[in-house]
Amino acid sequence: MSTEPVEPAAPVASAEPAVPTAPAESADFAEELAAAVREARFADVAALLTALPDARRRAALPRLRRLRRELRDSSHSRGGATTALLVAGAVCHTAPSGAADWIGGREFDVRYWAQPPLVALLDDRPAPWQREVALRLARRPADRTGWGSTVPYEIAEHLLRRSDTPPPAEPDFVAGWMRDRGRPEPRPWLRLLPPGPDLYARLSADAFAPVLAPLVFDADTAAHLSGPWSAGDPAQRWPAVLARLAAEGTVDRTALLGRGFARLVRGGAPGELRTYLEALRALAPGPDELADNRRALLALLDGPSTVAGYAQEALAALDGAGRLTAEEVAEASGVLLARPEKKLVRAQLGWLERVAADGRAELALRAAADCLGHPDRQLQGQALKLLKRHVAAAEGELLTELRAAALLLDPAHARTAAELLGVDVPPAAAAQDADRLPEPPRRVPVPAPLATPAEVAEELAAALAAPEESVSFERVLDGLARQVWADRDALAAALAPVLPADEWRTLGVLAGTATGAVPRPRVLRALQSRRGRMFSSWEFRGPVGEFLAARLHETAWRLAADPVPFLLSTPTWHNGALDARELVARLARYQELGVRPGPVDFALALLRTAGDGTDGTGVAEGIEVAEALTSPAGRQLAAWLRGGGLPRRTSTPVPPGTWTTGVWCAEFRRYAEQPEPAGPALELLAVPALDVPGVEPAAGPPEAVRALLGPSRDFQLRSAVEDSAPDSRWTALLPHHREELALRITGQLAQSAADTPERGHPQLLPLLAEAEGPCGFAVHQALAYGLGAGHAEDRSATVDALLSLAAQRQLDPAALAAEAHELLALGAVKPNRLAATLAELADPAPRLAWSVLAPLLPALLDGSPPRGAADLVAVAVDCARRSGARGPIDAVTRTAARKGGTKLLAEARNLAALLGPA
């Protein structure tokens, strides 16, 4: 396929070209080229490289690679130097593989690479080189965030057009094409595409569109399909524009539809599938097109509810037009009537009503029988209503099947089943289910320290793949410190295979500091100024994140300039706890070697060491040995252990609506507060600061330590909560203070229960349960937010935490119920999510679930019950039946006596009947 010729770019101002010199020795030429690149003299760079033999180009590469490292580590390099280096290095790589790797470097995220002299260098390369470089760039993994560099894609497209190469059907290239076409900015390298928000005009002028547009469903393009964000009208977004191009014949409509249905069948995250479904809906497939894809529609009935609902509508329409067989109707009903979503089940029963009215009563009855065993009693009742209207047509084998299915009905429908089918539904079992609680968590020791550079390299590779795993993270930090102390060169050699040159992840940066890849001045700038910090991403937001960052910056300095034999604060147990005897031994070794403790490392070591002597961490023995230490740090440790460590603080609720500057959503969100730490314990956390040039030593504990320990309101600030990423490294900071830990993650847990819930934060609750210390108000508030988490896997994590705390006898069901009701009343927790969590809890522990529901029901039913209260009462019915609960609850009795036929009243009557009279 031919592509349009590239129009020349508009002139861009640059330095006056110098008169090219005659080729000199390779080293002199490479230095001359490096100077032109460093000073961003684009015309000089082009003059030096134009018509240069390949061998001379390759000879200049070592100097350009050194310059690349220099520019990457410098904060004062000229902006255009990176642009010049990008193109100069690319054209000096005569092998396409090397050129593609060079162009894809992270540091080459430049905005205006298409300077005319530099573009001419790319255009001057042979067509086979251009084609192979472009295809290699097209196969590179696309950026999933939408914020990565666009340079590799832009150069790839430029070279494809220049070499007259058709666009490749690579999914990542399609994603890059969509991202580029959605941008309204002008394209100096491709002026034939009109800028602005009009996506349709841009695609109409694009020769790539007929080839790539049908492939949008084959790539990971959900983030682009919902845009472009510059469009002010839905008609200017991708779904509508693709539908318009398909209608005009510019894009193959049949291929686009087939790939759209196939993409939905492949599955994925619900949000992504909603986006793909929107694009498919915009195409408005007709009856013939739906019939051609009915097997895909049947497969979609197993998908997320939105996708399944669309497939159900389409199949019902096809059935109404006589385009489905009886087998296909039965297949659809079998899948849909087993789903938990009530809306889908009701819609399917309505479809079966139409089937029965159309003379296919036997098909409808046989399909509706699948609903008689549905977990929801109300849906069972709707299925019985369908049977009541059409059961006269049932006889023989069909009647036998219906009677067998009726045995699965809830006992509440026993009377109706007897009247319709003459079958006796067995009553609820009289036996009471005992709770199946797990074993209380036991301490798991951290493996022995990493003893060799090879062990550090292996653990680093694992930790980079799972950076939120605290044990591996801690072992790598300590292993880096130990090996830098022993042999920095051997460590660098061992890490070379697992540490990319442009590594940016936290542990990778620390490993680079240990090997010398990150220069010491860079670490020094991080300690001298917040603007120069090395660790400042979303991982390090809020007071807890600030503490983690301070610890890592201090560790980086020790790795770069002030080595230590090991870190003091490395835990001895998986939950972050540190054995007092081990800390005493480490401080004794520091004293023997004359090593000064790092202030943050020392403070964390003390916080991880219990001082109350109740938890088997060697406190009594530790005090005796610590008394013999003569260093100030040793004496402070002895005093810390004698004084019981960090005092425990009581949490109290902050009423909703309490205005505190900066606290997020105070009007409908509850949180807790604790008194700020004070007294001798706080001062014991302070040791003299390290000698860092340009950093003024501060008196008392480091600022990050003070922030970690309070004040409480700082943990609820929007700047601390929004987009933060708490993980197991957070819960490992205060392993003996469960209540204090809970207060520090409540803001994030509230986000997990919001209308648009964030995913993952309740995964910390099982780790909170593994920590030590009493469970007060903050812990139960954290659990109450977890009960209302918006994602199923987060609700499951909450159930795990509840079971663990119950096994430890640390859970107060009444306190949890009281806080859950407060959050329900505020709208901070949704009743349907709370019901789903308690239903999951009831599976292994019906008595525990009932102990939470029993005190919650009076507060829930008195007054005006919230929407969704019926789901909670339905769960209570199951829990009461399985736990053998008896004895009336006044609020339930009053609700059951009200007139009406709502689900809430029906379930209240079921519950009142189970609990019995006074």
Side-chain angles (χ1 to χ4, degrees):
M1 178 191 115
S2 296
T3 55
E4 300 88 337
V6 179
E7 295 186 7
V12 179
S14 63
E16 287 296 322
V19 178
T21 60
E25 294 295 328
S26 295
D28 294 337
F29 171 76
E31 288 299 330
E32 185 178 1
L33 176 61
V37 168
R38 183 189 294 279
E39 296 169 15
R41 291 185 273 116
F42 303 138
D44 287 1
V45 172
L48 288 167
L49 291 175
T50 299
L52 192 70
D54 285 354
R56 298 289 303 282
R57 292 173 186 254
R58 289 193 295 269
L61 279 174
R63 182 64 185 96
L64 293 180
R65 292 192 184 102
R66 292 199 304 274
L67 179 59
R68 181 179 179 178
R69 289 193 294 271
E70 293 168 14
L71 295 179
R72 184 171 57 218
D73 297 335
S74 172
S75 59
H76 305 290
S77 60
R78 186 170 175 176
T82 304
T83 302
L85 181 62
L86 162 67
V87 178
V91 299
C92 283
H93 279 86
T94 56
S97 58
D101 288 342
W102 181 274
I103 294 168
R106 291 173 53 85
E107 63 269 48
F108 292 130
D109 185 9
V110 295
R111 191 171 182 182
Y112 301 112
W113 66 270
Q115 308 294 328
L118 303 180
V119 172
L121 286 174
L122 291 171
D123 294 347
D124 190 50
R125 299 303 293 153
W129 182 93
Q130 295 174 337
R131 181 180 303 111
E132 184 61 24
V133 171
L135 293 176
R136 286 177 176 271
L137 289 172
R139 288 191 290 268
R140 291 177 64 86
D143 173 67
R144 306 300 183 197
T145 66
W147 296 100
S149 174
T150 61
V151 170
Y153 170 80
E154 293 174 1
I155 293 180
E157 179 171 353
H158 176 79
L159 295 176
L160 286 172
R161 291 176 179 271
R162 190 72 188 179
S163 61
D164 199 26
T165 303
E170 296 286 346
D172 290 316
F173 186 75
V174 174
W177 172 76
M178 290 187 69
R179 180 186 177 190
D180 178 80
R181 296 308 187 260
R183 292 169 45 231
E185 297 88 359
R187 294 160 179 75
W189 54 278
L190 190 61
R191 291 189 171 275
L192 56 87
L193 297 183
D198 193 342
L199 177 63
Y200 171 76
R202 196 152 45 249
L203 294 185
S204 296
D206 185 8
F208 279 21
V211 179
L212 299 181
L215 306 178
V216 297
F217 290 111
D218 293 354
D220 186 7
T221 57
H224 308 302
L225 265 177
S226 53
W229 309 118
S230 59
D233 185 340
Q236 295 176 338
R237 297 191 184 276
W238 276 99
V241 171
L242 287 173
R244 185 175 175 183
L245 292 173
E248 294 172 353
T250 304
V251 173
D252 186 336
R253 178 181 173 85
T254 302
L256 191 60
L257 275 172
R259 285 185 162 92
F261 281 113
R263 179 63 189 85
L264 292 177
V265 170
R266 287 201 301 274
E272 293 179 354
L273 293 181
R274 282 194 295 269
T275 301
Y276 293 125
L277 179 60
E278 179 188 357
L280 194 61
R281 283 185 182 275
L283 291 168
D288 291 337
E289 293 168 325
L290 290 174
D292 291 341
N293 291 282
R294 62 179 176 273
R295 292 311 308 173
L297 290 168
L298 287 166
L300 293 178
L301 297 176
D302 267 328
S305 58
T306 306
V307 175
Y310 168 76
Q312 184 183 38
E313 293 172 10
L315 288 168
L318 285 175
D319 183 52
R323 307 291 291 270
L324 289 186
T325 66
E327 291 76 13
E328 289 168 336
V329 174
E331 180 182 350
S333 296
V335 174
L336 289 165
L337 292 179
R339 291 188 64 112
E341 298 93 341
K342 299 167 191 175
K343 180 179 179 181
L344 292 177
V345 177
R346 292 192 189 103
Q348 190 59 27
L349 291 172
W351 179 2
L352 292 177
E353 282 281 8
R354 297 192 294 275
V355 169
D358 194 30
R360 295 176 287 168
E362 182 177 346
L363 172 61
L365 290 172
R366 185 167 273 114
D370 290 337
C371 194
L372 298 183
H374 197 281
D376 188 277
R377 281 181 292 276
Q378 193 174 39
L379 294 177
Q380 291 180 2
Q382 287 189 246
L384 284 172
K385 291 177 182 178
L386 187 151
L387 263 62
K388 184 176 181 179
R389 285 188 285 271
H390 304 285
V391 75
E395 58 185 14
E397 183 182 349
L398 174 59
L399 187 58
T400 303
E401 291 179 14
L402 294 176
R403 286 172 174 167
L407 296 175
L408 299 175
L409 284 166
D410 187 274
H413 297 304
R415 184 174 178 180
T416 304
E419 293 173 353
L420 286 180
L421 301 170
V423 63
D424 293 329
V425 175
Q432 300 176 12
D433 292 350
D435 287 353
R436 303 188 304 275
L437 298 178
E439 290 288 329
R442 299 174 181 173
R443 282 191 174 151
V444 179
V446 171
L450 302 170
T452 66
E455 290 181 6
V456 174
E458 182 179 357
E459 191 72 15
L460 175 62
L464 288 174
E468 71 286 349
E469 209 285 307
S470 65
V471 173
S472 184
F473 189 88
E474 293 284 353
R475 296 187 74 217
V476 170
L477 287 186
D478 182 64
L480 291 172
R482 289 173 182 270
Q483 298 309 316
V484 165
W485 176 271
D487 190 341
R488 188 188 299 270
D489 292 338
L491 176 65
L495 295 186
V498 300
L499 200 62
D502 57 351
E503 178 57 61
W504 56 273
R505 290 167 290 185
T506 300
L507 281 177
V509 173
L510 284 168
T513 304
T515 63
V518 177
R520 176 175 167 174
R522 175 70 187 91
V523 180
L524 186 59
R525 286 201 307 274
L527 295 173
Q528 291 172 337
S529 168
R530 289 184 62 87
R531 294 184 62 183
R533 289 175 56 175
M534 299 163 61
F535 309 107
S536 58
S537 67
W538 41 264
E539 294 180 76
F540 306 108
R541 303 198 68 167
V544 181
E546 290 281 349
F547 178 85
L548 289 173
R551 183 193 181 203
L552 294 177
H553 283 118
E554 179 182 280
T555 303
W557 176 251
R558 308 225 77 158
L559 294 174
D562 189 9
V564 291
F566 42 75
L567 297 179
L568 293 175
S569 59
T570 305
T572 50
W573 307 99
H574 267 244
N575 67 352
L578 174 56
D579 190 292
R581 292 163 296 190
E582 176 64 23
L583 179 55
V584 171
R586 292 175 187 174
L587 278 174
R589 181 62 175 160
Y590 267 41
Q591 178 178 302
E592 178 185 344
L593 296 172
V595 175
R596 294 171 55 187
V600 180
D601 188 35
F602 177 77
L604 178 58
L606 264 59
L607 292 173
R608 285 176 162 171
T609 305
D612 54 16
T614 61
D615 48 23
T617 53
V619 172
E621 301 93 325
I623 293 176
E624 183 178 348
V625 181
E627 298 281 4
L629 296 177
T630 58
S631 67
R635 291 195 297 271
Q636 286 173 235
L637 172 59
W640 176 268
L641 296 176
R642 283 197 309 271
L646 182 69
R648 305 192 189 280
R649 291 171 281 170
T650 302
S651 305
T652 55
V654 176
T658 302
W659 176 251
T660 306
T661 303
V663 172
W664 199 8
C665 305
E667 67 275 14
F668 63 88
R669 183 175 291 177
R670 279 165 62 88
Y671 59 99
E673 63 182 0
Q674 295 172 340
E676 294 190 34
L682 188 63
E683 296 306 318
L684 289 175
L685 296 172
V687 294
L690 299 176
D691 295 328
V692 181
V695 177
E696 189 69 25
E703 180 183 349
V705 175
R706 292 182 179 274
L708 175 68
L709 299 179
S712 304
R713 65 174 288 277
D714 290 350
F715 302 104
Q716 311 298 330
L717 297 178
R718 182 168 192 152
S719 58
V721 174
E722 188 175 29
D723 296 330
S724 62
D727 54 41
S728 61
R729 291 174 296 179
W730 287 39
T731 57
L733 295 178
L734 298 170
H736 304 288
H737 292 76
R738 192 154 33 195
E739 185 75 355
E740 285 77 1
L741 277 177
L743 184 142
R744 282 151 180 77
I745 61 174
T746 301
Q748 288 80 4
L749 292 170
Q751 286 297 96
S752 295
D755 290 341
T756 304
E758 292 188 8
R759 188 184 299 273
H761 299 323
Q763 301 296 324
L764 297 179
L765 289 174
L767 300 178
L768 181 68
E770 292 177 8
E772 297 158 5
C775 294
F777 174 79
V779 170
H780 287 88
Q781 184 179 66
L783 293 168
Y785 275 120
L787 290 174
H791 296 285
E793 64 271 23
D794 291 339
R795 295 193 292 270
S796 296
T798 304
V799 169
D800 291 342
L802 290 169
L803 293 172
S804 177
L805 289 171
Q808 300 172 56
R809 302 181 183 276
Q810 289 289 328
L811 185 66
D812 183 345
L816 178 60
E819 185 58 19
H821 175 255
E822 293 288 349
L823 298 181
L824 280 171
L826 285 173
V829 165
K830 306 290 186 290
N832 60 327
R833 298 176 185 171
L834 181 58
T837 311
L838 291 174
E840 185 175 347
L841 176 65
D843 184 35
R847 295 183 181 183
L848 177 59
W850 175 252
S851 69
V852 177
L853 281 163
L856 177 61
L857 288 173
L860 182 74
L861 295 177
D862 283 337
S864 178
R867 183 179 180 182
D871 295 329
L872 281 165
V873 180
V875 175
V877 172
D878 293 330
C879 291
R881 179 177 294 149
R882 293 181 54 198
S883 65
R886 295 296 181 265
I889 296 175
D890 291 343
V892 175
T893 304
R894 287 193 298 270
T895 304
R898 289 166 48 192
K899 295 181 179 180
T902 64
K903 181 181 178 181
L904 174 63
L905 298 181
E907 296 295 357
R909 290 167 192 145
N910 290 333
L911 182 56
L914 271 174
L915 296 177

